[in-house]
Amino acid sequence: MTAVQSKSSRNGFTMVEAIMALVVAAMVFEALMVILPQSKKGQTQDVQTDFRAALTQLGRQNYQLDQVQLHEIQLKKTIGDPVTLKIAKHDLVLDGTHHGRVLLLHGIDNLRIDNFGTYQLLTVFARGHEKASGTLFLPNTKQAIVEEG
């Protein structure tokens, strides 16, 4: 064997290959720095939009108002058990006696209901001092609606 080996038989990377690997890694890192903050923005909860969607869904489910209180509403359907719209463990839920609990919004600290007879103005206060309001239009099951403080 000769003392001098040819360039093609050496093991390892050339300087150009190492620089190219660093450039590709830098481009991937830069792309991640742009993409990750944008993906977090898409995951943030818009309480106002989610709350209005929940109220719209309640209206489409053919519920009727049974009793309105300051922090909860009792609803009925023509068939089925009554349910209660209320806050339970920082969640806005629709709570039924036999059918369990449906989570409508997470991270809600308080629910305030202003009863105007033909409609109800609901306001939720979320963690982080975020506030959302919406109007609920449901028919009444009885003429007298009880307001409690």
Side-chain angles (χ1 to χ4, degrees), residues 95-145:
D95 204 6
T97 53
H98 298 293
H99 299 293
R101 181 174 284 175
V102 176
L103 173 66
L104 300 175
L105 280 176
H106 182 67
I108 304 297
D109 290 328
N110 194 9
L111 169 66
R112 177 170 176 80
I113 303 162
D114 295 313
N115 185 12
F116 295 101
T118 57
Y119 68 95
Q120 286 67 43
L121 178 65
L122 284 74
T123 306
V124 291
F125 299 92
R127 294 179 182 172
H129 307 291
E130 201 171 351
K131 175 179 151 181
S133 296
T135 306
L136 186 61
F137 295 98
L138 295 176
N140 296 329
T141 58
K142 52 187 171 184
Q143 297 295 326
I145 296 179

Coordinates of all heavy atoms in Angstrom, one line a residue, residues 95-145:
D95 N -76.4 20.5 32.9 CA -76.4 19.4 33.8 C -77.8 18.8 33.9 O -78.8 19.4 34.2 CB -76.0 20.0 35.2 CG -75.5 18.9 36.2 OD1 -75.2 17.8 35.7 OD2 -75.2 19.3 37.3
G96 N -77.9 17.5 33.6 CA -79.1 16.7 33.6 C -79.1 15.8 34.8 O -78.1 15.3 35.3
T97 N -80.3 15.4 35.3 CA -80.4 14.5 36.4 C -80.1 13.1 36.0 O -79.5 12.3 36.8 CB -81.8 14.6 37.0 OG1 -82.8 14.4 36.0 CG2 -82.0 15.9 37.7
H98 N -80.5 12.6 34.8 CA -80.3 11.3 34.4 C -79.3 11.1 33.3 O -78.9 10.0 33.0 CB -81.6 10.6 34.0 CG -82.6 10.6 35.2 ND1 -82.4 9.8 36.3 CD2 -83.8 11.2 35.3 CE1 -83.5 10.0 37.1 NE2 -84.3 10.8 36.6
H99 N -79.1 12.2 32.5 CA -78.3 12.1 31.3 C -76.9 12.7 31.5 O -76.2 12.9 30.5 CB -79.0 12.7 30.1 CG -80.3 12.1 29.8 ND1 -80.4 10.8 29.4 CD2 -81.6 12.5 30.0 CE1 -81.7 10.4 29.2 NE2 -82.4 11.5 29.6
G100 N -76.5 13.0 32.7 CA -75.1 13.4 32.9 C -74.9 14.9 32.7 O -75.9 15.7 32.7
R101 N -73.7 15.3 32.3 CA -73.3 16.7 32.2 C -72.6 16.9 30.9 O -71.8 16.1 30.4 CB -72.3 17.0 33.3 CG -71.8 18.4 33.4 CD -70.9 18.6 34.6 NE -71.8 18.7 35.8 CZ -71.4 18.8 37.0 NH1 -70.1 18.8 37.3 NH2 -72.3 18.9 38.0
V102 N -73.0 18.0 30.2 CA -72.4 18.3 28.9 C -71.6 19.6 29.1 O -72.1 20.6 29.6 CB -73.5 18.6 27.8 CG1 -72.9 19.1 26.5 CG2 -74.4 17.4 27.6
L103 N -70.3 19.5 28.8 CA -69.4 20.7 28.9 C -69.6 21.6 27.7 O -69.5 21.2 26.6 CB -68.0 20.2 29.0 CG -66.9 21.3 29.0 CD1 -67.0 22.1 30.2 CD2 -65.5 20.6 28.8
L104 N -70.0 22.9 28.0 CA -70.1 23.9 27.0 C -68.9 24.8 26.8 O -68.5 25.1 25.7 CB -71.4 24.7 27.2 CG -72.7 23.9 27.3 CD1 -73.8 24.9 27.6 CD2 -73.0 23.2 25.9
L105 N -68.4 25.2 28.0 CA -67.2 26.1 28.0 C -66.3 25.7 29.1 O -66.8 25.5 30.2 CB -67.6 27.6 28.1 CG -68.0 28.3 26.8 CD1 -68.5 29.7 27.2 CD2 -67.0 28.3 25.8
H106 N -65.0 25.7 28.9 CA -64.1 25.5 30.0 C -63.4 26.8 30.5 O -63.2 27.7 29.7 CB -63.0 24.5 29.5 CG -62.0 24.1 30.5 ND1 -62.3 23.3 31.6 CD2 -60.7 24.4 30.7 CE1 -61.3 23.2 32.4 NE2 -60.3 23.8 31.8
G107 N -63.1 26.8 31.8 CA -62.4 28.0 32.3 C -63.3 29.2 32.6 O -62.8 30.3 32.5
I108 N -64.5 28.9 33.0 CA -65.4 30.0 33.3 C -65.6 30.1 34.8 O -65.8 29.1 35.5 CB -66.8 29.7 32.7 CG1 -66.7 29.5 31.2 CG2 -67.8 30.8 33.0 CD1 -66.2 30.7 30.4
D109 N -65.4 31.3 35.3 CA -65.5 31.5 36.8 C -66.9 31.9 37.2 O -67.3 31.5 38.4 CB -64.6 32.6 37.2 CG -63.1 32.1 37.1 OD1 -62.9 30.9 37.3 OD2 -62.2 33.0 36.8
N110 N -67.7 32.6 36.4 CA -69.0 33.1 36.9 C -69.9 33.2 35.7 O -69.5 33.5 34.6 CB -68.8 34.5 37.5 CG -70.0 34.9 38.3 OD1 -70.9 34.1 38.6 ND2 -70.0 36.1 38.8
L111 N -71.2 33.1 36.0 CA -72.3 33.2 35.0 C -73.3 34.2 35.6 O -73.8 34.0 36.8 CB -72.9 31.9 34.7 CG -74.3 31.9 33.9 CD1 -74.0 32.4 32.5 CD2 -74.9 30.5 33.9
R112 N -73.7 35.2 34.9 CA -74.7 36.1 35.3 C -75.8 36.1 34.3 O -75.6 36.2 33.1 CB -74.1 37.5 35.5 CG -75.2 38.5 35.8 CD -74.7 39.9 36.2 NE -75.7 40.8 36.5 CZ -76.4 40.9 37.6 NH1 -76.1 40.1 38.6 NH2 -77.4 41.8 37.8
I113 N -77.0 36.1 34.8 CA -78.2 36.0 33.9 C -79.1 37.2 34.2 O -79.6 37.3 35.4 CB -79.0 34.7 34.1 CG1 -78.0 33.5 33.8 CG2 -80.2 34.6 33.2 CD1 -78.5 32.2 34.3
D114 N -79.4 38.0 33.3 CA -80.3 39.1 33.4 C -81.6 38.7 32.6 O -81.5 38.5 31.4 CB -79.7 40.4 32.8 CG -78.6 40.9 33.6 OD1 -78.6 40.9 34.9 OD2 -77.5 41.2 33.0
N115 N -82.7 38.6 33.4 CA -83.9 38.1 32.8 C -84.8 39.3 32.3 O -85.1 40.2 33.1 CB -84.7 37.3 33.8 CG -86.0 36.7 33.3 OD1 -86.2 36.7 32.0 ND2 -86.8 36.2 34.1
F116 N -85.1 39.3 31.0 CA -85.9 40.4 30.5 C -87.3 39.8 30.0 O -87.9 40.4 29.1 CB -85.2 41.1 29.3 CG -84.0 41.8 29.8 CD1 -82.7 41.3 29.6 CD2 -84.1 43.1 30.4 CE1 -81.6 42.0 30.1 CE2 -83.0 43.8 30.8 CZ -81.7 43.2 30.7
G117 N -87.7 38.7 30.5 CA -89.0 38.1 30.2 C -88.9 37.3 28.9 O -89.0 36.1 28.9
T118 N -88.9 38.0 27.8 CA -88.9 37.3 26.5 C -87.5 36.9 26.0 O -87.4 36.1 25.1 CB -89.5 38.3 25.4 OG1 -88.7 39.4 25.3 CG2 -91.0 38.6 25.7
Y119 N -86.5 37.4 26.7 CA -85.2 36.9 26.4 C -84.3 37.1 27.6 O -84.7 37.8 28.6 CB -84.5 37.7 25.2 CG -84.3 39.1 25.5 CD1 -83.0 39.5 25.9 CD2 -85.3 40.1 25.3 CE1 -82.7 40.9 26.1 CE2 -85.0 41.4 25.6 CZ -83.7 41.8 26.0 OH -83.5 43.1 26.2
Q120 N -83.2 36.4 27.6 CA -82.2 36.5 28.7 C -80.9 36.9 28.2 O -80.4 36.3 27.2 CB -82.1 35.1 29.4 CG -83.3 34.7 30.3 CD -84.5 34.4 29.4 OE1 -84.4 33.8 28.4 NE2 -85.6 34.9 29.9
L121 N -80.2 37.8 28.9 CA -78.9 38.2 28.6 C -77.9 37.5 29.5 O -78.0 37.7 30.7 CB -78.7 39.7 28.8 CG -77.3 40.3 28.5 CD1 -76.9 40.1 27.1 CD2 -77.2 41.8 28.9
L122 N -77.1 36.6 29.0 CA -76.2 35.8 29.8 C -74.8 36.4 29.6 O -74.4 36.7 28.5 CB -76.2 34.4 29.3 CG -77.4 33.5 29.7 CD1 -78.6 33.9 29.0 CD2 -77.0 32.1 29.6
T123 N -74.0 36.5 30.7 CA -72.7 37.0 30.7 C -71.8 36.0 31.4 O -72.1 35.6 32.6 CB -72.6 38.4 31.3 OG1 -73.5 39.3 30.7 CG2 -71.2 38.9 31.2
V124 N -70.7 35.6 30.8 CA -69.8 34.7 31.5 C -68.5 35.4 31.7 O -68.1 36.3 30.9 CB -69.5 33.4 30.7 CG1 -70.7 32.5 30.7 CG2 -69.0 33.7 29.3
F125 N -67.9 35.1 32.8 CA -66.6 35.7 33.2 C -65.6 34.6 33.2 O -65.6 33.7 34.1 CB -66.7 36.5 34.5 CG -67.7 37.6 34.5 CD1 -69.0 37.3 34.9 CD2 -67.3 38.8 34.1 CE1 -69.9 38.3 34.9 CE2 -68.3 39.9 34.1 CZ -69.6 39.6 34.5
A126 N -64.6 34.7 32.3 CA -63.6 33.6 32.2 C -62.4 34.0 33.0 O -62.2 35.1 33.4 CB -63.2 33.4 30.7
R127 N -61.5 33.0 33.1 CA -60.2 33.2 33.8 C -59.5 34.2 32.9 O -59.5 34.2 31.7 CB -59.5 31.9 33.9 CG -60.1 30.9 34.8 CD -59.4 29.6 34.9 NE -60.1 28.7 35.8 CZ -59.8 27.5 36.0 NH1 -58.8 27.0 35.4 NH2 -60.5 26.7 36.8
G128 N -58.7 35.0 33.6 CA -57.9 36.0 32.8 C -58.8 37.3 32.6 O -58.5 38.1 31.7
H129 N -59.9 37.4 33.3 CA -60.7 38.6 33.3 C -61.4 38.8 31.9 O -61.7 39.9 31.6 CB -60.0 39.8 33.7 CG -59.3 39.7 35.1 ND1 -60.0 39.6 36.2 CD2 -58.0 39.6 35.4 CE1 -59.1 39.4 37.2 NE2 -57.9 39.4 36.7
E130 N -61.5 37.7 31.2 CA -62.2 37.8 29.9 C -63.7 37.7 30.1 O -64.2 36.9 30.9 CB -61.7 36.7 28.9 CG -61.9 37.0 27.5 CD -61.2 36.1 26.6 OE1 -60.4 35.3 27.1 OE2 -61.5 36.1 25.4
K131 N -64.5 38.5 29.4 CA -65.9 38.5 29.6 C -66.6 38.3 28.2 O -66.1 38.8 27.2 CB -66.3 39.9 30.1 CG -67.7 40.2 30.3 CD -67.9 41.6 30.9 CE -69.2 42.2 30.5 NZ -69.4 43.5 31.0
A132 N -67.7 37.6 28.2 CA -68.4 37.3 27.0 C -69.9 37.4 27.3 O -70.3 37.0 28.4 CB -68.1 36.0 26.4
S133 N -70.7 38.0 26.4 CA -72.1 38.1 26.6 C -72.8 37.6 25.4 O -72.3 37.6 24.3 CB -72.5 39.6 26.8 OG -71.9 40.1 28.0
G134 N -74.1 37.1 25.6 CA -74.9 36.7 24.5 C -76.4 36.6 25.0 O -76.7 36.7 26.2
T135 N -77.2 36.6 24.0 CA -78.7 36.6 24.3 C -79.3 35.2 24.0 O -78.9 34.6 23.0 CB -79.4 37.7 23.4 OG1 -78.7 38.9 23.6 CG2 -80.8 37.8 23.8
L136 N -80.1 34.8 24.9 CA -80.8 33.5 24.8 C -82.3 33.7 24.5 O -82.9 34.3 25.4 CB -80.5 32.7 26.0 CG -81.0 31.2 26.0 CD1 -80.3 30.4 24.9 CD2 -80.7 30.6 27.4
F137 N -82.8 33.3 23.4 CA -84.2 33.4 23.1 C -84.8 32.0 23.1 O -84.6 31.2 22.2 CB -84.4 34.0 21.7 CG -83.9 35.4 21.5 CD1 -82.7 35.7 21.0 CD2 -84.7 36.5 21.9 CE1 -82.2 37.0 20.8 CE2 -84.2 37.8 21.8 CZ -83.0 38.0 21.2
L138 N -85.5 31.7 24.2 CA -86.2 30.4 24.3 C -87.6 30.7 24.8 O -87.9 31.6 25.6 CB -85.5 29.5 25.3 CG -84.1 29.1 25.0 CD1 -83.5 28.3 26.1 CD2 -84.0 28.3 23.7
P139 N -88.6 29.9 24.3 CA -89.9 30.0 24.8 C -90.1 29.6 26.2 O -89.3 28.8 26.7 CB -90.7 29.1 23.9 CG -89.7 28.1 23.3 CD -88.4 28.8 23.3
N140 N -91.0 30.2 26.9 CA -91.2 29.8 28.3 C -92.2 28.6 28.5 O -93.1 28.5 27.7 CB -91.9 31.0 29.1 CG -90.9 32.2 29.1 OD1 -89.7 32.0 29.1 ND2 -91.5 33.4 29.1
T141 N -91.9 27.8 29.5 CA -92.8 26.7 29.7 C -94.0 27.1 30.6 O -95.1 26.5 30.6 CB -92.1 25.5 30.4 OG1 -91.6 26.0 31.7 CG2 -91.1 24.9 29.6
K142 N -93.8 28.2 31.3 CA -94.9 28.7 32.2 C -94.8 30.3 32.2 O -93.8 30.8 31.8 CB -94.9 28.2 33.6 CG -93.5 28.3 34.3 CD -93.6 27.5 35.6 CE -92.2 27.4 36.2 NZ -92.1 26.7 37.4
Q143 N -95.9 30.9 32.5 CA -95.9 32.4 32.5 C -95.0 33.0 33.6 O -94.3 34.0 33.3 CB -97.4 32.8 32.7 CG -98.3 32.4 31.6 CD -97.9 33.0 30.2 OE1 -97.5 34.1 30.2 NE2 -98.1 32.3 29.2
A144 N -95.1 32.5 34.8 CA -94.3 33.1 35.8 C -92.9 32.6 35.9 O -92.7 31.4 36.0 CB -95.0 32.8 37.2
I145 N -91.9 33.5 35.7 CA -90.5 33.2 35.8 C -90.0 33.7 37.1 O -90.2 34.9 37.4 CB -89.8 33.7 34.6 CG1 -90.3 33.0 33.3 CG2 -88.3 33.5 34.8 CD1 -89.6 33.5 32.1

